[in-house]
Amino acid sequence: MITDAKPIVTARIGVPESWTLRAYLEHGGYDGLRKALTMDRADVTQEVLTANLLGRGGAGFEAGKKWGMLRKAEPVYLVINGDESEPCTFKDHMLLEEDPHEIVEGTLICAYAVGASQAFIFVRGEFALGLERLTAAVNEAYAFGAIGRNILGSDFSVDLVVHPGAGAYICGEETALLESLEGKRGYPRDKPPWFPAVKGLYGAPTVVNNVETMSNLPWIVQNGGAAFAALGIGRSTGTRIFSVSGHVKRPANYEIEMAKTTFRDLLYDPKLGGGIRNDNELKAFVPGGVSAPWFGPDQLDMALDQDAVGKAGSMLGSGSVVAMDDTTCMVRAAWRITRFFHRESCGQCTPCREGGGWLDKVLRRIELGQGRESDLDLLLDVCDNIAPGLSWPPQKTTICVLGPSIPSSIVSGIKMFRDEFLVHIKDGRCPFG
Amino acid sequence: MADPVNITVDGKVLEAKPGEMVIAAAERGGIYIPRFCWHPRMRPVGMCRMCLVEVKGPRGFALMPACYVPVADGQEIVTDSPKVKKAQDGVLEFLLINHPLDCPVCDRGGECPLQDQTFAFGPGESRFVEEKRHWAKPIPINPLVALDRERCIQCSRCTRFADEVAGDAMIDFVGRADQTEVNTFPQRPFTSNFSGNIVQICPVGALTATPYRFRARPWDLDVVESTCTACAVGCRMALQSSSNRLVRHLGVDSEPVNHGWLCDKGRFGYEMVDNPGRLRQPLVRKGGALVESTWNEALDAAAQGLARVRDSAGPGAIAVLGGARLPNEDAYAWAKFAKGVLGTDNVDCQLGDGLPAEVVLGLPRATIDEACGADAVVLLAPDIKDELPVLYLRLREAAVDGNLKLIEISPQGTGLSRHAEVRLQYRPGEAATVIRALAAEQVPADGAGGVSAGDIGAAAEVLGAAGSVVVVLGRPSLAEPADTVADAAGVLAAAMPNATFLPALRRGNVHGALDMGLAPGLLPGRTSLDDGRAWFAEAWGQVPGARGLDAAGILQGAAGNGIQALVLVGADPASDFPDRTLARAAMSGGAFTVVVDLFGGDGAFPDADVIFPVAGYGERPGTTTNLEGRVSRLGQKVTAPGTARPDWMVPAELAFRLGGDLGFSSLDDIAVEIERLAPAHAGLTPQLLSRPGYRDGIVVPIEDLQPTATDRPKEHIEVTANKAHLGQVIPENDPEADAPLAPLAGDPPPAPAAPDRARPPLLRFRPAPPTRPAPPVDAYSLRLVASRPLYDAGALVQRSPSLAGLADGPCLRVNPADLGRLGVASGGRVRVTSSRTSLVLDVAADARVLRGSAVLAFNTIGEGAAELIDLSQPVTDIRIETVGPSGREREA
Amino acid sequence: MARLTAENLQRARQLVALYPHPRSALIPILHIVQEQDGWLTPDGMAHVGELLDIEPAEVYGTASFYDMFFTHPVGRHLVSVCTNLACLLNGGGELLEHAEARLGVAAGGTTADGEFTLEEVECIAFCGAAPCLAVNWRFFGNVSNDDFDQLVDDLAAGRLADEVPPHGTLCRVRRRVGLTAGVPAGPPPADDAKPAQGSAQ
Ligand SMILES: Cc1cc2nc3c(=O)[nH]c(=O)nc-3n(C[C@H](O)[C@H](O)[C@H](O)COP(=O)(O)O)c2cc1C
Ligand code: SF4
Ligand code: FES
């Protein structure tokens, strides 16, 4: 079911020159910040807690709760994650280009709530236009008095720096992002024992939140956390952007109310995905970024509810749903995803660095017709050595979950399409040509 | 230190230190968790994932890296479950899939943790049928170290060492994922003074030492623990030999000294000992030429020469220079011979490049640990990164990771400058002026010695707030005479009565030689000639009547007619003395010259009359004393070439021939006599030193006797990081070689012998009169700073083929503003003129050089600072003028 | 090759001033080096090391972690074709093959005239318009083979010079302000003070 809930973060998209301060102010821009600055810091956090805003970066952790976990020490840093690199996720890219002021305003509200002394927005380096629009927005916001000293006449002051990345998926992982922001190789940090809220940027307590998470804040402050929580069901509150791609007729970003819409709606509703191209059969779909285990058509009626998807053994993750129709070679799909993880491993952990390459090579062999009977067991056992038990969420032998995400597509592929893998091996070629 | 906590590992309750990692606590409790990236002296990174164990958390047991989980009270850990085994086996298999498995041709084969783990736990058959990763191999990352990237397991030990420990991040990971390699910046080698350490800590054979490559197999190596004498830090090391040749030195982790690290000079300097050019027979001058002879003949010739001078001109016409490279026992033998038998006090183990004995021995001494644990350290010293390399590592660590604040007082930038809280870069020659301003109630408004009042004030503030201060005291520049430093030290000692001092003298056993009395006005055991006169006269029969000459005085005497016989004990004034003009004049002054050295057959001592070949490092036992006053044992592993003998036998034999008797016939006899006579050495018996618990040495005078090595975890003495290949590294001839490290139950460490009332008092520092201030520098001159690189023209470097090439030629470094002002182009050739002479040198702009000064290395290949320095002056001023393009440019 | 020009050095110093620790400016400054020379020259990297007081090996090691940085020369136009899942499903692989044929170089290669470097890349977050590609990180979606040929012609002829700056130029909008939050500004603003261009509309 598609509800008539109004979009929250994409409301201004489509407005002419939506990225300018002028357009932003015409549509209520910076009123949320203005209001927040009249509130107690704790009250701002309380509204976000009431809203039960779940992080939109992939892990789905309650934003307000995260802010409350900060170690009590000075300085506090706020780092916004705009590195969006999870394959087939393209919502933050759009927000950065189309509504950068909303991100800036949300960031300032968050900085105020957590008492940050400086905020950074880490933007994926490849987003050239996004960087230009966001930088222009920050320039405008400084001139407007919304960033810098005595923001909007209050006694709150904070600086905001737009920081370009340089091309490495792993920098989306929050601790790798912090290393990268410190000017180093993007190596995730081992946690436990220390999370960013305790030891983050330069060892100081740090909040890391996703861009879309920030974009929700002006609305929440304006309308109250309760209004946000009234949307959605249970823990999955508010609206959320889903990036729909693959074999659908209308690939695009859609902001819909959480938990009330199903995957079927998302892929087939004429106002959303619009159905599978050429009206082919759906073979499988990725429910939340390529790190997530796949679902089959039998799960189409599951609601877009974080907890329900989790219980079914996958995740909503970064909110990207990729449809694969019956013309898709599942070995090739799994191989392509595995190759991605292989190339994007930061290289620290032995299982991820070496295991990724090994799995890539075995899948390549199978797809190119040189598979062996023993390869499927080998694939599963190598996967098991990266993510023991092959469960979801994964157990890990590694520092971050990039490594343990490698098995997702392989295990899904072998579980759901074992025969297809075997045909590749037996026939010595790919049946899809 | 916080109270220990209890953890349970595999059902066993273990005591652990708060803050330590599970891997370390388990190991002490006897449970060994395999690892590759973890190293006890570096911060954990948890990268290799080999140490995965199950740790119980709120949601049950989970796999975690034991090297990255701090212990917590009540923590439960399982290291032997099937789940742990599968995870560890998995990691091992992952490490091996791209590994070349070329163990038979790998230096590490036989002592390789990866190989060991594979034998112990690994899968038999490889399931990996794909093409392995390939890299060009091996590539040199500097002249001493080769890198094989195919063998590398990306544990980051080497890159972390370079960055975290050495501060020389000239190697790093390059690339990403499974294309990650270790490498340098293109065309810029890993020019670290510490590069050999990365070979030692590499857990596979990816990094190999060029001098050692293919020289030996681990199972053929003999080993003994010893103390490095390449400089005065005295790092503990393991000497390894094969077929009676030294082939490798490895750092041994000594808690109070070197933490397992060595500098490259100490590590590769064994090549000097192994040099085929070593002198094998004594040489005697016959008919104008030095010819090989027998010991008897040579001893007779030397004795006759000395007797002739003594009888004709008196003992005051004889001088003994050197001895700072000898073990303590041999230094004592020379001191007793010179002062007790010959009766001369013209004895100096320093060659004008050190500090007066009263300063070194008379000021309250600090240990390295005390310096690292102090609130502030004042560095009035040369660049210790080059001169006392491992002391640099220790202080750097304390400044970076700890609470130590460094105050650097130096006319030039040093390796520690970037870590200094305050830097007082003074005009050469004006150290004492700056220190007086620092100690003054009120800092002079316009600063002092070229340093601003603000900086001096900042330093004063740090010192004022510091509860404990240690002064690292040495010669910031050899172009400034030692008395300015002595003067400055006196001011510091008076201003900070609780400060202690760590002398920054560099020559191997200079502190042992001073302790043994090899300086004018001094007797063994840190007592003065006057205070010890009665005591030693009784024991030795005689001591000199009055204080003799120091090195400068001796050389002046030899250049004139005052000194007519010169004994050079492992010393070559022509290369070591800062004022080369004077040294040359002395050597060719016609004195009867006896040389005792490792080399000499190749014209190194053209003016010698007799040359005795002696045993070198690793060729004989003994003890040595480091800059803390720590006495530790030397190990013997190979035999000396030809007829070379331990040094002490030369004075013993000469004494006989001169009608005396040193009274000892073995090294142990000397050690016993030192303990009995030397005031500072009371209680230091050979038995005590040979106990395993004192392998790290004992600081004299003995005050608070703590066994140290007992707590040396196995990991620290194992050179290969994982397995106990060298668990047996203990001094040879150790009566208790098989005894456990801890003192036996009911056998407490022997208390120091009760202070002997009759022994003379220890030397006390008395401030010297203020030195003459430096004259103002004129606008056309630059004031010279003489630095001293690690790789110089000295024997240790030049006789070690792998190190010799690392020594640079001289290059004058000048501030770019001065070059501009004087109209000289950087990179060109300049004529450099001092009151002594004129040289043509390369010149380079260097913004770290203070304006108005110029830095030139001392004792480099070819002519350098020593030619220019006039030690009779408080400063050396030079003028420069362009003469042409640089050597490099001419080649291009 | 070149060290930073005086103007770029000035920009680099301004970047350093934006961060609590200088090394944080490393990656932004490397983008400037790449903008200046089209790739990261050894001299450029060494200069950045001097500026941040770190070893050139650290600059190189860090740069080499990131796909956008090139430590060897590349073409004026970096054509990045995505073949990750959404594009794979929509013909990204075929597009890459066509690109290789059209440009006459395999992925990773540079045309002889130094105009084009072709690379296969991971998802560029433009999946709604798969198959897609980027040229110097300016995005082009729903690219057919014909579109590709037209694009190459336009780029070669300089017809897209406004949209697609030369390789290395990332963000053409410069930050206009330094850090101001900690800078005490004159008297504290009066209670009713209106921000600069506040409610102009
Ligand atoms: C391999 C990996 C990649 C990630 N990539 C991104 C990303 O591109 N963008 C993002 O916002 N979060 C990403 N995350 C999640 C972040 O680590 C972090 O949870 C998130 O930025 C927190 O923000 P949120 O709580 O607002 O979601 C990634 C996590 C992992 C393990
Ligand atoms: S799991 Fe992979 S990406 Fe994550 S830290 Fe380890 S090696 Fe890096
Ligand atoms: S991960 Fe613990 S030793 Fe490497």
Side-chain angles (χ1 to χ4, degrees):
Chain A
M1 174 184 76
I2 318 184
T3 66
D4 51 10
K6 296 237 155 35
I8 291 177
V9 294
T10 59
R12 272 170 299 268
I13 286 176
V15 165
E17 306 212 308
S18 58
W19 52 88
T20 59
L21 180 67
R22 185 188 45 75
Y24 191 60
L25 291 175
E26 272 168 16
H27 292 82
Y30 289 107
D31 286 349
L33 173 63
R34 208 179 294 275
K35 178 169 174 195
L37 291 172
T38 65
M39 295 164 66
D40 238 28
R41 285 164 190 245
D43 292 342
V44 177
T45 305
Q46 187 53 51
E47 288 302 329
V48 176
L49 277 169
T50 306
N52 201 52
L53 173 62
L54 301 181
R56 302 301 198 227
F61 194 83
E62 294 87 339
K65 216 161 142 189
K66 187 186 282 187
W67 305 354
M69 286 159 49
L70 278 174
R71 179 164 59 96
K72 299 271 166 290
E74 298 270 334
V76 168
Y77 293 113
L78 172 61
V79 177
I80 304 309
N81 188 342
D83 191 49
E84 186 169 67
S85 320
E86 177 75 17
C88 308
T89 313
F90 47 101
K91 63 188 182 69
D92 297 343
H93 192 183
M94 173 186 75
L95 291 176
L96 284 160
E97 290 182 359
E98 303 296 326
D99 204 349
H101 276 289
E102 185 179 60
I103 300 170
V104 169
E105 184 180 358
T107 301
L108 293 167
I109 291 171
C110 181
Y112 175 69
V114 302
S117 72
Q118 193 170 350
F120 302 88
I121 303 181
F122 185 109
V123 179
R124 180 172 173 182
E126 290 91 335
F127 294 168
L129 180 60
L131 278 163
E132 290 180 342
R133 295 246 170 103
L134 183 65
T135 305
V138 166
N139 281 337
E140 286 181 316
Y142 263 103
F144 177 62
I147 319 179
R149 188 155 185 86
N150 299 117
I151 290 178
L152 299 180
S154 72
D155 56 9
F156 176 59
S157 304
V158 73
D159 277 304
L160 196 162
V161 169
V162 176
H163 182 93
Y169 164 67
I170 193 58
C171 291
E173 195 281 338
E174 57 189 8
T175 56
L177 183 146
L178 295 177
E179 288 284 309
S180 186
L181 183 49
E182 291 181 9
K184 303 182 187 146
R185 296 166 60 83
Y187 279 166
R189 300 173 182 169
D190 227 321
K191 31 185 187 324
W194 298 288
F195 294 87
V198 179
K199 274 191 175 186
L201 189 63
Y202 318 119
T206 302
V207 170
V208 183
N209 268 135
N210 169 260
V211 156
E212 184 190 347
T213 312
M214 288 300 106
S215 294
N216 278 290
L217 296 178
W219 192 95
I220 292 175
V221 169
Q222 280 284 48
N223 300 278
F228 192 86
L231 298 168
I233 298 176
R235 283 189 348 109
S236 294
T237 58
T239 60
R240 181 168 183 185
I241 307 177
F242 288 91
S243 301
V244 181
S245 67
H247 290 150
V248 287
K249 289 181 183 160
R250 289 164 39 91
N253 285 314
Y254 298 104
E255 181 177 1
I256 50 180
E257 189 175 349
M258 286 276 272
K260 295 207 172 139
T261 313
T262 63
F263 284 108
R264 186 184 300 282
D265 298 330
L266 191 60
L267 296 182
Y268 287 91
D269 191 286
K271 281 196 249 135
L272 303 177
I276 305 303
R277 65 163 187 188
N278 307 330
D279 293 324
N280 287 351
E281 285 300 313
L282 178 71
K283 193 168 178 181
F285 63 95
V286 174
V290 302
S291 302
W294 301 344
F295 278 169
D298 51 330
Q299 270 138 324
L300 273 174
D301 293 311
M302 185 178 301
L304 293 163
D305 174 316
Q306 176 163 316
D307 295 335
V309 175
K311 261 193 224 107
S314 190
M315 63 169 180
L316 278 187
S318 57
S320 63
V321 180
V322 190
M324 296 183 271
D325 72 11
D326 53 6
T327 66
T328 311
C329 170
M330 294 326 237
V331 175
R332 183 168 283 267
W335 172 32
R336 186 62 189 84
I337 293 171
T338 302
R339 210 178 100 200
F340 163 77
F341 286 119
H342 166 208
R343 294 197 342 193
E344 295 296 340
S345 165
C346 80
Q348 283 188 97
C349 311
T350 307
C352 174
R353 179 185 70 238
E354 303 296 342
W358 191 357
L359 293 167
D360 179 356
K361 285 175 176 163
V362 174
L363 285 165
R364 173 172 193 276
R365 243 186 331 99
I366 297 175
E367 173 64 8
L368 299 186
Q370 279 131 35
R372 307 174 173 203
E373 293 272 347
S374 56
D375 279 344
L376 298 194
D377 287 345
L378 176 66
L379 286 172
L380 291 175
D381 192 55
V382 170
C383 285
D384 188 75
N385 284 341
I386 305 174
L390 300 179
S391 50
W392 193 267
Q395 298 194 52
K396 49 190 187 102
T397 56
T398 53
I399 293 173
C400 84
V401 292
L402 184 150
S405 302
I406 309 176
S408 291
S409 65
I410 301 172
V411 175
S412 298
I414 296 179
K415 260 201 216 145
M416 298 166 69
F417 306 99
R418 191 176 183 92
D419 288 346
E420 196 175 315
F421 277 71
L422 288 174
V423 168
H424 278 79
I425 292 171
K426 292 217 184 72
D427 295 358
R429 63 182 197 87
C430 172
F432 296 87
Chain B
M1 176 112 228
D3 291 338
V5 298
N6 285 323
I7 62 173
T8 309
V9 185
D10 299 339
K12 204 168 147 189
V13 178
L14 303 177
E15 197 170 88
K17 302 178 200 159
E20 77 177 325
M21 298 294 163
V22 166
I23 198 169
E27 183 165 17
R28 248 184 308 102
I31 296 170
Y32 184 86
I33 301 169
R35 79 290 299 261
F36 292 110
C37 65
W38 189 71
H39 186 281
R41 290 295 183 186
M42 297 194 286
R43 284 196 283 273
V45 285
M47 279 172 65
C48 75
R49 316 305 286 179
M50 190 63 211
C51 66
L52 289 169
V53 294
E54 289 191 80
V55 180
K56 194 169 179 183
R59 267 166 277 149
F61 281 99
L63 287 171
M64 306 237 228
C67 72
Y68 212 85
V69 177
V71 295
D73 203 30
Q75 196 174 43
E76 275 181 68
I77 293 130
V78 176
T79 76
D80 55 2
S81 65
K83 192 170 170 187
V84 169
K85 168 106 174 85
K86 175 141 202 300
Q88 293 183 353
D89 284 354
V91 171
L92 199 57
E93 183 183 31
F94 286 136
L95 285 175
L96 291 172
I97 58 172
N98 278 304
H99 190 83
L101 298 172
D102 55 350
C103 312
V105 294
C106 175
D107 269 354
R108 257 292 145 91
E111 54 175 18
C112 173
L114 183 63
Q115 195 184 30
D116 294 345
Q117 296 291 340
T118 308
F119 284 142
F121 311 103
E125 192 97 329
S126 177
R127 303 191 286 175
F128 184 80
V129 298
E130 329 296 330
E131 173 84 5
K132 290 193 189 233
R133 192 162 52 225
H134 287 300
W135 293 105
K137 62 189 260 180
I139 53 169
I141 57 170
N142 71 18
L144 296 169
V145 179
L147 167 65
D148 181 330
R149 292 163 294 176
E150 291 184 345
R151 293 181 188 152
C152 172
I153 60 167
Q154 281 92 11
C155 69
S156 80
R157 277 182 169 197
C158 60
T159 51
R160 279 182 287 146
F161 173 82
D163 179 26
E164 196 178 307
V165 181
D168 295 330
M170 300 160 221
I171 46 172
D172 199 353
F173 278 142
V174 172
R176 195 177 67 208
D178 60 356
Q179 294 305 308
T180 306
E181 55 169 322
V182 170
N183 217 326
T184 61
F185 190 72
Q187 321 302 330
R188 296 227 196 161
F190 181 43
T191 51
S192 172
N193 290 349
F194 307 96
S195 69
N197 292 295
I198 68 173
V199 176
Q200 181 167 340
I201 62 177
C202 176
V204 294
L207 291 162
T208 47
T210 315
Y212 176 74
R213 273 173 75 83
F214 309 124
R215 288 282 306 273
R217 300 303 287 176
W219 48 85
D220 292 330
L221 293 178
D222 273 340
V223 62
V224 69
E225 195 173 310
S226 189
T227 304
C228 181
T229 56
C231 84
V233 175
C235 297
R236 288 298 278 172
M237 58 160 56
L239 312 187
Q240 294 186 310
S241 68
S242 173
S243 311
N244 199 30
R245 293 177 70 183
L246 291 179
V247 293
R248 185 162 74 170
H249 284 175
L250 294 166
V252 167
D253 192 319
S254 157
E255 174 65 30
V257 185
N258 61 314
H259 290 185
W261 313 128
L262 297 176
C263 74
D264 288 348
K265 191 165 164 181
R267 182 181 300 272
F268 298 109
Y270 65 81
E271 286 187 347
M272 173 182 73
V273 178
D274 196 41
N275 188 313
R278 283 280 298 280
L279 194 60
R280 304 170 65 86
Q281 293 291 334
L283 303 178
V284 174
R285 182 166 302 279
K286 281 186 190 157
L290 282 165
V291 294
E292 280 195 1
S293 82
T294 63
W295 272 86
N296 250 331
E297 194 183 357
L299 286 164
D300 287 343
Q304 280 158 20
L306 294 174
R308 181 170 39 76
V309 174
R310 180 186 60 184
D311 298 344
S312 63
I318 306 179
V320 178
L321 267 182
R325 294 215 164 87
L326 309 187
N328 291 331
E329 292 73 13
D330 307 69
Y332 178 85
W334 278 109
K336 187 173 179 182
F337 173 69
K339 303 200 177 190
V341 175
L342 292 174
T344 177
D345 197 50
N346 302 327
V347 174
D348 201 347
C349 63
Q350 305 189 79
L351 291 169
D353 55 353
L355 292 172
E358 288 74 9
V359 176
V360 181
L361 303 181
L363 289 165
R365 194 83 77 96
T367 62
I368 297 173
D369 274 349
E370 283 161 0
C372 294
D375 295 325
V377 158
V378 175
L379 292 160
L380 179 61
D383 187 350
I384 61 169
K385 190 173 185 180
D386 277 333
E387 299 215 10
L388 298 165
V390 173
L391 177 62
Y392 154 85
L393 294 184
R394 293 289 314 272
L395 287 176
R396 179 184 181 277
E397 181 192 30
V400 172
D401 295 346
N403 300 317
L404 173 63
K405 292 192 161 78
L406 296 175
I407 294 177
E408 181 176 85
I409 307 177
S410 170
Q412 57 168 329
T414 74
L416 278 173
S417 294
R418 66 189 317 176
H419 305 293
E421 189 81 7
V422 186
R423 287 186 60 204
L424 308 180
Q425 194 171 3
Y426 65 83
R427 260 193 316 261
E430 304 194 29
T433 322
V434 174
I435 301 252
R436 284 211 161 71
L438 183 62
E441 290 279 299
Q442 188 76 48
V443 177
D446 47 356
V451 184
S452 75
D455 285 347
I456 297 176
E461 200 169 304
V462 172
L463 293 177
S468 50
V469 178
V470 171
V471 181
V472 175
L473 188 71
R475 295 272 292 276
S477 158
L478 288 178
E480 294 168 44
D483 24 329
T484 62
V485 177
D487 181 13
V491 178
L492 280 173
M496 300 186 295
N498 295 323
T500 51
F501 291 75
L502 191 58
L505 304 180
R506 95 204 255 269
R507 205 164 283 123
N509 192 27
V510 63
H511 296 96
L514 289 173
D515 275 4
M516 294 302 113
L518 286 182
L522 203 63
L523 287 167
R526 303 188 186 167
T527 194
S528 73
L529 186 58
D530 291 336
D531 287 339
R533 181 179 308 282
W535 171 267
F536 278 98
E538 187 187 322
W540 287 358
Q542 66 156 326
V543 292
R547 184 186 176 104
L549 302 169
D550 66 4
I554 291 169
L555 293 176
Q556 269 149 17
N561 201 28
I563 298 294
Q564 296 174 21
L566 198 53
V567 182
L568 300 177
V569 185
D572 182 2
S575 79
D576 293 347
F577 194 73
D579 182 339
R580 195 156 290 163
T581 313
L582 174 58
R584 288 221 179 94
M587 298 304 286
S588 54
F592 176 74
T593 304
V594 177
V595 169
V596 185
D597 212 298
L598 304 183
F599 296 92
D602 50 1
F605 297 97
D607 304 304
D609 293 286
V610 183
I611 307 184
F612 292 105
V614 284
Y617 186 69
E619 293 175 342
R620 30 112 3 121
T623 64
T624 188
T625 304
N626 81 346
L627 42 73
E628 307 166 286
R630 178 184 304 279
V631 180
S632 57
R633 294 180 34 142
L634 296 165
Q636 177 191 348
K637 202 62 250 164
V638 293
T639 48
T643 63
R645 302 181 183 183
D647 293 76
W648 66 268
M649 291 185 183
V650 178
E653 294 283 350
L654 289 176
F656 270 128
R657 286 169 169 76
L658 290 166
D661 179 2
L662 293 189
F664 27 72
S665 55
S666 76
L667 200 70
D668 260 6
D669 288 349
I670 311 179
V672 167
E673 182 169 319
I674 294 171
E675 192 282 326
R676 186 167 54 80
L677 292 180
H681 294 67
L684 189 78
T685 61
Q687 290 74 16
L688 183 63
L689 258 186
S690 67
R691 293 180 61 85
Y694 298 103
R695 284 204 305 225
D696 292 335
I698 294 173
V699 175
V700 294
I702 298 175
E703 278 159 6
D704 175 21
L705 197 61
Q706 297 277 342
T708 47
T710 51
D711 198 26
R712 186 184 289 169
K714 233 181 175 183
E715 171 90 19
H716 296 197
I717 50 168
E718 289 157 9
V719 292
T720 58
N722 272 37
K723 281 277 167 113
H725 295 289
L726 288 177
Q728 71 279 28
V729 178
I730 34 183
E732 217 187 23
N733 311 326
D734 191 327
E736 299 175 71
D738 295 316
L741 289 186
L744 300 171
D747 179 18
D756 201 325
R757 295 272 157 253
R759 290 186 192 226
L762 299 185
L763 205 62
R764 297 271 310 274
F765 174 74
R766 242 168 288 123
T771 44
R772 157 160 80 99
V777 61
D778 73 68
Y780 304 102
S781 298
L782 298 171
R783 191 147 281 176
L784 189 66
V785 175
S787 65
R788 190 155 194 166
L790 181 69
Y791 301 116
D792 57 13
L796 179 56
V797 171
Q798 291 308 312
R799 306 282 187 179
S800 298
S802 301
L803 300 179
L806 298 172
D808 277 333
C811 175
L812 190 75
R813 292 184 292 121
V814 180
N815 190 290
D818 286 329
L819 286 185
R821 183 171 62 86
L822 298 170
V824 171
S826 177
R829 299 276 288 174
V830 284
R831 179 175 313 285
V832 184
T833 308
S834 79
S835 65
R836 275 283 196 236
T837 186
S838 201
L839 304 176
V840 175
L841 300 171
D842 284 353
V843 68
D846 184 343
R848 289 165 306 176
V849 174
L850 192 71
R851 288 179 71 162
S853 67
V855 178
L856 182 60
F858 169 80
N859 199 11
T860 45
I861 306 288
E863 297 181 310
E867 270 70 24
L868 299 169
I869 294 171
D870 176 355
L871 260 196
S872 65
Q873 298 302 315
V875 289
T876 298
D877 287 340
I878 56 170
R879 293 195 177 199
I880 61 175
E881 58 183 315
T882 305
V883 292
S886 75
R888 242 168 276 133
E889 280 170 24
R890 277 194 312 274
E891 272 164 38
Chain C
M1 268 283 192
R3 290 162 64 87
L4 286 172
T5 61
E7 192 217 333
N8 284 335
L9 186 60
Q10 169 80 2
R11 284 170 70 193
R13 294 219 165 95
Q14 283 164 356
L15 284 170
V16 169
L18 294 180
Y19 295 91
H21 293 272
R23 186 161 174 177
S24 281
L26 174 57
I27 286 168
I29 294 175
L30 288 176
H31 280 304
I32 294 183
V33 176
Q34 194 152 279
E35 174 180 328
Q36 178 180 298
D37 297 328
W39 60 289
L40 300 183
T41 61
D43 282 353
M45 286 190 278
H47 194 185
V48 174
E50 278 168 39
L51 198 63
L52 300 178
D53 194 20
I54 56 177
E55 289 291 337
E58 295 175 279
V59 176
Y60 176 52
T62 305
S64 67
F65 186 85
Y66 298 96
D67 291 337
M68 290 176 73
F69 291 135
F70 291 87
T71 52
H72 54 82
V74 289
R76 243 162 50 84
H77 297 110
L78 174 69
V79 180
S80 311
V81 180
C82 174
T83 60
N84 207 306
L85 190 60
C87 288
L88 175 88
L89 298 175
N90 287 291
E94 292 76 4
L95 176 62
L96 178 65
E97 278 177 24
H98 175 76
E100 291 181 328
R102 171 66 174 78
L103 294 175
V105 294
T110 300
T111 55
D113 59 4
E115 272 297 305
F116 294 95
T117 294
L118 179 65
E119 60 170 4
E120 179 186 12
V121 291
E122 299 299 346
C123 176
I124 57 177
F126 207 49
C127 327
C132 56
L133 57 78
V135 181
N136 299 345
W137 301 113
R138 272 64 192 178
F139 292 74
F140 298 87
N142 299 313
V143 182
S144 68
N145 289 353
D146 289 345
D147 293 342
F148 184 83
D149 295 344
Q150 183 64 48
L151 179 62
V152 169
D153 290 343
D154 288 347
L155 289 165
R159 283 190 290 270
L160 288 174
D162 286 347
E163 289 92 326
V164 183
H167 177 248
T169 302
L170 192 58
C171 177
R172 289 165 296 182
V173 179
R174 308 247 173 108
R175 185 183 170 106
R176 286 203 302 262
V177 271
L179 299 186
T180 66
V183 181
D191 275 346
D192 60 350
K194 284 270 180 319
Q197 329 161 356
S199 27
Q201 298 81 6

